[in-house]
Amino acid sequence: MPDIEKKLVCPVDERLPWRQLLMFGAQHVLVMAASPIASVFLMATALGFSSELTLQLLSATFLVCGLGTLLQSLGLRGCGARLPFIMLPGGAPIMLFILIAQQNGVATASGAVILTGVFYFLVLPVFRRLLRFFPSVVVGTMLLLVAVNLVKLSGQLIVGAPGSVHFAAPQQLLLAFATIAITVLCARLMRGTLGQLSILLGLLGGSLLAVAIGAFDSTGLSVYPLLSLPTFMPFGVPHFDVFASIPLMLFCLVSMVEATGQTVAISEAVDKPLDVHKDVVRTIRGDAVTSILGGFMGTSLIITSGENIGVIRATHVRSRYVTAVSGVLLLVFALLAPLARLIEGVPEAVVGGTSLIVFAIVGTMGIDMLRKVDLRNHGNMYVVSIAMAVGLLPILVPGVYSQFPSGVAGLLGNGVAMGALTAAVMNFLFHCLGQQHSAVDGKTKLINS
């Protein structure tokens, strides 16, 4: 009888032994830790923050990411997807936060984050009615664009900034390819739990190689201070300026589209039946609540991340309790400064090598979704091709919209968002316009009007 009950448990709700939860949770955190660290140091460099304030913001970012991850993994009533999501600072929101702070001050930037969190709730009822325009052909195209964009960012981590002294240094490439090789060997040769931990083992192997060749940055390693406590409202009382907040509010609409695709993709990855109108709304509400908290803690928008979908597919570990443990570990990193400094010391090339694998797996999920779509169909062919063209242009040709006003350029320059929106519009033109929907056996059937 217990065996029958075990089989009835959905993989996403499986409760693994604590040792496995801890190891798999640490794997998610270490793969994704570069994002909050990079976002904080980018903000600190651009806005001239002191080292003490930078450490506080790093602690605050880990704290909000951890709380948001717990919210999305475990869920509250009507809020949080109850899916294995990791919450991270978005790249575009960080740039918009910096832009608002440079033009209007950091207190106004924090106020803009809070206003945007509230804006999520205001526009969600309208967005909910549009979810039917995001079928597999749209989501699959978006995942391909996400993968291309993230693989490009991983490559930049490996080779460094063009024109810098160490750009494309052979040592960096060696570390990246060695990390990939170790990951592949572990995935191929190891069985059971160790095989599922191949991404973590590859990351650790690359780090040990970095230590051996003197490429591990140990200058910041120190036991003291032991605790790093985030500060509530580190920039003072937030200043609310609706006009200054418009760029982040526009991105909020883009983020809702991305959250839709990520919820669909991660539901497929964990084999959980998806109620689009319920689960996507819960995901977006979780983003909103976490971002409002982030605004009070001095961070930019903290949103669901699609990157960890690759980890789930690679390991076949689908329990949301794994990412809940990841959330707890992020909270520990927020409070224990030596751990954050240790992660910061891992060479970017090692992180880049690991993320190359993880992010490419996201692309294979997009391919798998598009494989189920009849691309010989005239309409589907145009949906995918036009969306890929619009989405890939700003990814492959940076600065293509640089002559446009900054707000417009920021929106058009987000290839993933523009590709997804284009796919939705094209899908509407070819498959919805002039047709009516009728529900048959719980699915939408198109009937010529």
Side-chain angles (χ1 to χ4, degrees):
M1 191 72 176
D3 292 336
I4 296 175
E5 290 179 359
K6 187 175 181 181
K7 290 180 181 178
L8 294 177
V9 175
C10 183
V12 75
D13 296 320
E14 183 181 3
R15 296 176 183 267
L16 302 174
W18 273 105
R19 181 179 297 178
Q20 292 185 2
L21 285 175
L22 188 60
M23 289 189 295
F24 292 137
Q27 181 169 243
H28 277 281
V29 170
L30 292 175
V31 171
M32 304 302 161
S35 179
I37 292 173
S39 66
V40 170
F41 281 93
L42 176 62
M43 186 189 302
T45 301
L47 301 177
F49 294 153
S50 66
S51 57
E52 181 181 356
L53 179 56
T54 301
L55 188 60
Q56 289 180 357
L57 289 176
L58 182 60
S59 176
T61 303
F62 275 126
L63 176 71
V64 179
C65 288
L67 292 174
T69 298
L70 283 169
L71 176 61
Q72 293 288 14
S73 300
L74 302 179
L76 296 174
R77 186 172 182 178
C79 186
R82 293 182 181 173
L83 289 169
F85 272 122
I86 299 287
M87 299 284 281
L88 293 174
I94 287 293
M95 299 307 297
L96 292 173
F97 182 96
I98 292 172
L99 179 64
I100 295 170
Q102 289 174 336
Q103 294 176 347
N104 303 279
V106 285
T108 301
S110 291
V113 174
I114 297 169
L115 286 175
T116 302
V118 175
F119 186 66
Y120 270 107
F121 286 105
L122 296 178
V123 299
L124 187 53
V126 177
F127 182 79
R128 189 175 185 174
R129 298 176 181 274
L130 303 177
L131 288 175
R132 65 190 179 93
F133 299 119
F134 294 89
S136 295
V137 67
V138 176
V139 176
T141 302
M142 191 190 81
L143 287 177
L144 270 182
L145 291 170
V146 167
V148 172
N149 189 51
L150 293 176
V151 165
K152 179 183 176 182
L153 294 176
S154 299
Q156 291 172 349
L157 279 178
I158 295 170
V159 301
S164 62
V165 177
H166 300 291
F167 176 71
Q171 179 177 272
Q172 298 293 93
L173 295 170
L174 169 66
L175 284 174
F177 289 130
T179 300
I180 294 172
I182 295 169
T183 303
V184 172
L185 287 174
C186 291
R188 178 64 182 87
L189 301 177
M190 294 184 175
R191 296 290 182 268
T193 301
L194 287 178
Q196 293 173 315
L197 289 169
S198 57
I199 292 174
L200 175 61
L201 294 175
L203 185 66
L204 293 176
S207 299
L208 291 175
L209 176 61
V211 172
I213 65 176
F216 193 96
D217 183 11
S218 59
T219 55
L221 296 182
S222 174
V223 177
Y224 301 101
L226 181 62
L227 295 178
S228 176
L229 300 177
T231 303
F232 188 70
M233 294 193 296
F235 309 126
V237 178
H239 178 247
F240 300 106
D241 185 332
V242 175
F243 183 77
S245 306
I246 288 176
L248 270 179
M249 290 181 177
L250 289 176
F251 176 82
C252 153
L253 302 176
V254 172
S255 175
M256 293 168 80
V257 173
E258 292 181 347
T260 301
Q262 290 163 3
T263 305
V264 172
I266 209 165
S267 295
E268 283 204 358
V270 301
D271 293 332
K272 178 184 177 181
L274 178 70
D275 183 337
V276 175
H277 290 278
K278 179 181 177 182
D279 294 329
V280 171
V281 168
R282 291 174 66 101
T283 300
I284 294 172
R285 285 175 183 160
D287 283 3
V289 170
T290 307
S291 293
I292 291 172
L293 175 62
F296 283 108
M297 299 302 297
T299 77
S300 183
L301 298 181
I302 305 294
I303 53 181
T304 48
S305 164
E307 289 95 319
N308 69 303
I309 301 174
V311 179
I312 294 168
R313 271 296 175 94
T315 63
H316 301 291
V317 178
R318 296 169 285 186
S319 172
R320 60 192 173 97
Y321 295 104
V322 168
T323 49
V325 171
S326 299
V328 174
L329 291 176
L330 286 168
L331 296 181
V332 173
F333 288 165
L335 300 177
L336 293 180
L339 285 177
R341 288 194 289 265
L342 179 63
I343 292 177
E344 183 190 345
V346 176
E348 290 185 340
V350 174
V351 177
T354 300
S355 57
L356 270 178
I357 301 173
V358 173
F359 297 159
I361 291 174
V362 176
T364 66
M365 293 183 62
I367 294 172
D368 185 55
M369 293 188 76
L370 290 176
R371 184 175 59 85
K372 302 169 186 176
V373 176
D374 182 10
L375 293 179
R376 292 171 296 181
N377 176 275
H378 177 76
N380 289 334
M381 178 187 70
Y382 270 98
V383 170
V384 176
S385 59
I386 300 301
M388 290 292 288
V390 172
L392 286 175
L393 184 61
I395 295 174
L396 301 179
V397 188
V400 65
Y401 299 114
S402 59
Q403 298 301 317
F404 285 66
S406 58
V408 176
L411 181 62
L412 295 177
N414 188 324
V416 174
M418 291 308 301
L421 289 171
T422 301
V425 171
M426 295 295 293
N427 179 72
F428 174 78
L429 290 176
F430 279 97
H431 298 307
C432 301
L433 192 64
Q435 296 177 323
Q436 62 184 15
H437 296 264
S438 66
V440 177
D441 297 328
K443 296 182 180 180
T444 299
K445 180 182 178 182
L446 295 175
I447 305 175
N448 289 333
S449 56

